[in-house]
Amino acid sequence: MISLDVQHISKSYGRVMALQDVSFSVEKGEVFGLIGPDGAGKTSMYRILCTLLLADEGTATVDGFDVVRGMKDIRRRVGYMPGRFSLYQDLTVRENLEFFATLFGTTVDEGYDSIKAIYQQIERFADRKAGALSGGMKQKLALSCALVHQPSVLFLDEPTTGVDPVSRKEFWAMLSMLKERGITIVASTPYLDEVRCCERVTFLSEGKVMGIDKPEIILNRFADIFNPAGIEDGSRFRGQDSLPSKAAEPSASENVIEVSHLVKAFGDFHAVDDISFTVKRGEIFGFLGANGAGKTTAMHMLTGLNQPTSGAGTVAGFDIRTEHEQIKKHIGYMSQKFSLYEDLTVAENIRLFGGIYGMKSEEIKVKTDELLRQLKFEEHKNDLVGSLPLGWKQKLAFSVSIFHEPAIVFLDEPTGGVDPATRRQFWALIYDAAHRGITVFVTTHYMDEAEYCDRISIMVDGKISAMGTPEELKRKLGQPDMDHVFTYLAREAKRGD
């Protein structure tokens, strides 16, 4: 029985063709992948199928109802998790769930049996605001909100972006449980292990269907896109002629970060619990851990955004307790949400941040032209940043964060939700920065990226559980790759979310 039927759908935004003559169908109860690089048209397709957007051409049905004429019937039958969590951050867990139940004309009590297995995992936090939840907990709440009205079709637009590997595995285990109940699941994901969890996938690129088949067939057929050279093997990546070679190994005296017995407590809770480490100049240092392990809190102390409860540390030679304003002038910072101004053009963003960093006007002008050439953005310098694909935004945000040649750049999950080819290009920029002597302090939930780091620290329950090169950690823990290393350590966590 067909659950979704898409025939010759096209959608444009001005001169941009988001979808071009797209056709595919999904069987009832199937786990179906809608995959492709940034800007492929996936989100536009979701919005059309959820009756949030009208197609220019073509037809589509969901459970037999036309997306135009049967809008009300479809909305009662579908659940939707958009790429960014749809939760209201200022509402509690329970208030979010009640709100979504009300939207669909039902109650939490009426739909409780359909979400029980998932919601019970976070129900003890019912009075906690959604904004205070870890990524894994937000996932479970968002999925509960999407299921509370007992839909027959579930649309998931990159629901695990920014979530650690263990929580991602748990999420897909929950999806397997939903499949057993006969729910049709259509999911997008940039993670190849999640693509392989689908029964079939449609691969979109530039709005066109490039192929529809089992995951392995599509991944092999388009290996140059999904497995570009260097993504799977860090040592191979480092040896690529197209990438800059790393600078000579710095001596131990060139530490640019020194941390000793650092603690950050919130009441009786120690978010960061007595950590010590050093980072050398020009080193790519991976700072890993599950959601809630304490990574972000530690980074906030190192970047001068928060004060430690106890312990000591220096960043670029400045004391994190007393010289945080000096630290801010000597570092770059980029988060997953990046800090670019979407209503300014590419060139305006570059000039603005150059001024913020205290650079002179002539230097800003010269370096802006150089950066536009390096990124091949010359033709897009007057485009609004908000109109750029996610991968472009992130490459620009990274380049802006090191525009003033800081001693250290802090990258907080910089490639979240980005396709493999764009991630590889991003890491080429990271290697170039390290080659120029800029220390890169990076957090990531992509374990293939962990392989690219010179050294790695893995936090568990606020403490550093392991530290070393990727090869050292794999050898010491007897694990085949960094994904297994991370999972092995993260599952030893004792404190809850």
Side-chain angles (χ1 to χ4, degrees), residues 403-424:
F403 193 60
H404 58 309
E405 295 290 325
I408 307 157
V409 62
F410 290 88
L411 308 176
D412 193 0
E413 297 178 28
T415 56
V418 179
D419 62 85
T422 304
R423 288 200 291 116
R424 185 191 184 284

Side-chain angles (χ1 to χ4, degrees), residues 124-143:
R124 67 184 186 278
F125 303 108
D127 294 327
R128 184 181 293 186
K129 288 187 176 181
L133 301 177
S134 70
M137 291 174 69
K138 285 181 179 178
Q139 256 189 341
K140 292 167 186 172
L141 176 56
L143 186 56

